[in-house]
């Protein structure tokens, strides 16, 4: 059966077995290909279909899921979820009633349905040619391809709530190896969006070639504590690595240094961090979370003050609070928490203007790995590449350095925030961050 019928079937089954229940189901279809030396190297078509149920019996939650949407499999899934309630702690939650949602499907573009692998192949072959043409130093393009993905999901519960959502998007990009004087560098760029008319071979080729060649001529710098500009190319990734301390569930597990600090100043006056699910700056709109609760803007940090953690129904009940609408769950997982669009509001300066804040500074444009980063302690130790700058001007590239410090100190040392965002399609929007000092090992 299809997932809509499967969700209805599961709801009918669960009505007589549990005091409360909710169901989440999704069907994701993706098609992609890669190109190498003018030929399609491989293609991939995949489907992911599944249904998960959470039941609450005698006040205890139980979870189970299945990827087989048959009568027998769904009945067994419900039995497994009910059995699971024997081993869990009681929770005091009430699942939400349905409300009227805004009309339309902001995350779905019907016109994208006309994009197929044949069109993607032609685009990627042209992209490969164009990328080689951008620089004679490019000697190989080992990574080049595109992907089309569409998703249909449902959240339903015992109150009669039945929300459906569709989304789709496309991506295309390349990774090129450039060589100069025996030194090789790799650069890559990927474009994402849901309007294929906005995909430009020239844009992707130009960015790929630029990133492949920009770090040639790198020079050493002295180690020490120096001002650092985390550019908009990597600032979202940096903050994303340390998002969990803001989740109530992390605090309740004793794994967040922010536990008990709501209302306290934890960052610089110029730094704010929002959960912005329907914000006008974002192409993704989230009207409800994985529990069917309405989402809302939460100014998690505002002018350096930690205003609110992010809650789902379970963690809100434990804290005696209301959910912020940040419950996150796939059909195969238990309830957790997530940002629904992370936003650092812009400052008044461009990235290049931020460079003028310091006589000397390091502009970071790439990060490598995150094995030395710990969201619990806040420790940061990560490889970086960028540009050495003096008096507001870029002097030369820098590579192979290590940034060290602590996230909770870094956000206190932010002296200015930029006003440029890298990716219009991203669900994390963070401009460049100017940090007064960070340990740099060359």
């Amino acid at each position: 059966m299809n997932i809509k019928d499967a969700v209805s079937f599961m709801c009918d089954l669960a009505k007589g077995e549990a005091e409360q229940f909710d169901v989440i189901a999704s069907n994701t279809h993706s098609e992609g290909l890669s190109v190498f030396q003018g030929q399609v190297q491989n293609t991939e078509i995949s489907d992911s279909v599944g249904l998960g149920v959470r039941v609450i019996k005698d006040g205890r939650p139980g979870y189970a899921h299945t990827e087989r949407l048959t009568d027998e499999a769904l009945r067994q899934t419900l039995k497994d979820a009910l059995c699971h309630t024997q081993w869990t702690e009681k929770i005091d939650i009430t699942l939400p009633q349905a409300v009227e949602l805004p009309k339309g499907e902001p995350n779905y573009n019907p016109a994208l349905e006309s994009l197929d692998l044949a069109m993607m192949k032609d685009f990627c072959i042209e992209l490969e040619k164009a990328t080689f043409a951008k620089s004679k130093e490019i000697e190989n393009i080992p990574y080049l391809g595109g992907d089309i993905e569409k998703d249909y999901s449902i959240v339903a519960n015992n109150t009669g709530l039945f929300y459906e959502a569709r989304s789709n998007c496309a991506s295309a990009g390349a990774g090129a190896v450039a060589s100069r004087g025996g030194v090789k560098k790799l650069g890559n760029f990927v474009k994402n969006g849901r309007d294929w008319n906005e995909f430009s071979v020239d844009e992707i080729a130009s960015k790929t070639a630029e990133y492949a060649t920009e770090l040639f001529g790198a020079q050493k710098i002295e180690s020490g504590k120096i001002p650092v500009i985390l550019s908009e190319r990597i600032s979202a990734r940096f903050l994303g690595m340390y998002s969990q301390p803001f989740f109530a569930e992390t605090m309740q597990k004793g794994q967040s240094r922010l536990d008990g600090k709501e209302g306290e100043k934890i960052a610089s006056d110029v730094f704010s961090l929002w959960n912005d699910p329907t914000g006008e700056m974002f192409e993704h709109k989230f009207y409800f979370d994985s529990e069917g609760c309405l989402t809302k803007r939460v100014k998690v940090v505002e002018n350096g003050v930690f205003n609110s953690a992010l809650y789902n129904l379970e963690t809100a009940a434990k804290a005696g609070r209301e959910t912020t609408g940040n419950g996150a769950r796939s059909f195969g997982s238990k309830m957790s928490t997530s940002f629904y669009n992370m936003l650092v509001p812009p400052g008044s300066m461009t990235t290049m203007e931020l460079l003028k804040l310091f006589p000397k500074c390091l502009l970071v444009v790439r990060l490598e790995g995150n094995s030395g980063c710990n969201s619990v302690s806040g420790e940061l130790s990560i490889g970086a590449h960028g540009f050495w700058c003096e008096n507001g001007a870029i002097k030369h590239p820098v590579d192979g350095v290590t940034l060290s410090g602590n996230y909770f100190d870094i956000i206190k040392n932010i002296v200015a925030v930029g006003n440029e965002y890298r990716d219009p399609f991203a669900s994390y929007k963070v401009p460049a961050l100017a940090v007064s000092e960070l340990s740099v090992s060359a």
Side-chain angles (χ1 to χ4, degrees):
M1 64 182 80
N2 62 42
I3 66 168
K4 191 168 185 177
D5 291 340
V7 170
S8 297
F9 184 78
M10 177 61 79
C11 289
D12 290 339
L13 287 178
K15 282 177 182 176
E17 301 289 344
E19 299 117 37
Q20 298 186 82
F21 63 84
D22 55 10
V23 181
I24 187 165
S26 66
N27 182 354
T28 303
H29 175 82
S30 67
E31 300 180 11
L33 58 81
S34 61
V35 166
F36 184 68
Q37 295 182 349
Q39 301 291 327
V40 174
Q41 190 174 32
N42 60 58
T43 61
E44 183 175 342
I45 300 176
S46 65
D47 286 278
S48 172
V49 182
L51 177 150
V53 61
R54 173 177 62 175
V55 297
I56 300 174
K57 185 175 183 179
D58 300 326
R60 301 176 187 274
Y63 292 86
H65 73 277
T66 180
E67 295 180 32
R68 295 177 59 242
L69 304 186
T70 64
D71 183 308
E72 181 182 0
L74 293 171
R75 291 180 186 277
Q76 184 61 51
T77 300
L78 178 60
K79 290 180 182 178
D80 292 343
L82 291 166
C83 182
H84 184 230
T85 62
Q86 300 176 61
W87 316 106
T88 58
E89 296 182 1
K90 286 190 175 183
I91 57 174
D92 182 18
I93 68 172
T94 300
L95 296 178
Q97 301 277 340
V99 298
E100 186 174 351
L101 299 174
K103 302 297 183 183
E105 296 180 302
N107 303 326
Y108 179 76
N109 179 12
L112 197 59
E113 295 290 342
S114 63
L115 177 63
D116 57 24
L117 287 182
M119 297 168 62
M120 187 73 76
K121 178 203 71 172
D122 293 340
F123 183 93
C124 289
I125 289 175
E126 287 302 311
L127 175 59
E128 186 180 49
K129 294 177 182 177
T131 305
F132 273 121
K134 290 295 179 181
S135 173
K136 294 180 179 179
E137 294 178 319
I138 294 177
E139 62 177 25
N140 191 20
I141 305 177
Y143 314 109
L144 191 148
D147 184 78
I148 315 159
E149 183 174 296
K150 55 184 178 181
D151 179 82
Y152 169 62
S153 61
I154 299 173
V155 175
N157 69 22
N158 57 280
T159 73
L161 179 150
F162 197 100
Y163 293 155
E164 302 172 78
R166 285 197 299 175
S167 65
N168 60 1
C169 67
S171 64
V177 175
S179 178
R180 181 188 299 176
V183 176
K184 297 181 185 294
K185 299 288 185 180
L186 173 67
N188 63 76
F189 177 78
V190 178
K191 169 81 172 180
N192 300 286
R194 61 174 62 92
D195 184 349
W196 187 242
N197 293 323
E198 294 181 354
F199 281 69
S200 162
V201 166
D202 185 70
E203 177 195 9
I204 300 173
S206 296
K207 289 291 186 183
T208 301
E210 176 189 346
Y211 294 166
T213 58
E214 65 181 350
L215 296 176
F216 281 131
Q219 300 177 28
K220 291 288 186 180
I221 61 173
E222 291 186 10
S223 299
K225 289 188 176 182
I226 59 177
V228 171
I229 310 293
L230 301 173
S231 83
E232 66 275 13
R233 286 168 57 180
I234 55 91
S235 53
R237 180 184 168 195
F238 166 69
L239 291 190
M241 291 190 296
Y242 296 94
S243 61
Q244 292 192 7
F246 296 100
F247 300 160
E249 65 180 307
T250 310
M251 299 176 190
Q252 291 167 0
K253 294 176 181 177
Q255 296 177 337
S256 171
R257 286 179 51 178
L258 298 179
D259 187 20
K261 293 189 176 181
E262 286 174 288
E264 296 184 15
K265 192 172 182 61
I266 65 163
S268 161
D269 290 343
V270 301
F271 180 74
S272 297
L273 180 68
W274 297 359
N275 175 73
D276 201 21
T278 60
E280 62 183 15
M281 294 186 66
F282 293 92
E283 294 195 26
H284 301 276
K285 310 293 183 185
F286 300 94
Y287 297 129
F288 57 90
D289 70 0
S290 297
E291 295 180 292
C293 297
L294 294 182
T295 59
K296 62 182 179 180
R297 174 180 285 174
V298 181
K299 296 183 178 181
V300 180
V301 178
E302 183 70 357
N303 299 327
V305 177
F306 178 31
N307 288 325
S308 174
L310 298 180
Y311 295 86
N312 58 40
L313 283 172
E314 293 187 18
T315 56
K318 289 180 182 179
R321 302 284 292 269
E322 291 186 359
T323 178
T324 56
N326 289 89
R329 173 184 165 208
S330 68
F331 69 79
S333 69
K334 296 181 181 179
M335 191 57 61
S336 60
T337 314
S338 176
F339 274 88
Y340 285 102
N341 290 337
M342 176 191 285
L343 175 68
V344 172
S348 60
M349 305 170 71
T350 67
T351 303
M352 294 308 294
E353 288 171 339
L354 292 178
L355 303 182
K356 299 176 183 178
L357 294 175
F358 311 107
K360 298 179 180 180
C361 66
L362 177 66
L363 172 65
V364 178
V365 298
R366 298 190 200 181
L367 296 176
E368 285 191 351
N370 60 1
S371 60
C373 303
N374 187 306
S375 64
V376 177
S377 66
E379 290 305 310
L380 170 78
S381 180
I382 193 167
H385 307 271
F387 300 93
W388 182 249
C389 307
E390 296 181 7
N391 300 317
I394 292 175
K395 291 299 181 181
H396 59 78
V398 175
D399 63 8
V401 301
T402 300
L403 305 181
S404 302
N406 189 283
Y407 169 78
F408 299 102
D409 294 328
I410 293 170
I411 60 176
K412 290 178 182 176
N413 292 333
I414 295 173
V415 296
V417 175
N419 61 9
E420 299 173 282
Y421 298 96
R422 182 192 181 196
D423 184 357
F425 197 71
S427 58
Y428 278 28
K429 289 189 182 294
V430 183
L433 305 173
V435 183
S436 59
E437 67 171 27
L438 197 56
S439 291
V440 179
S441 301

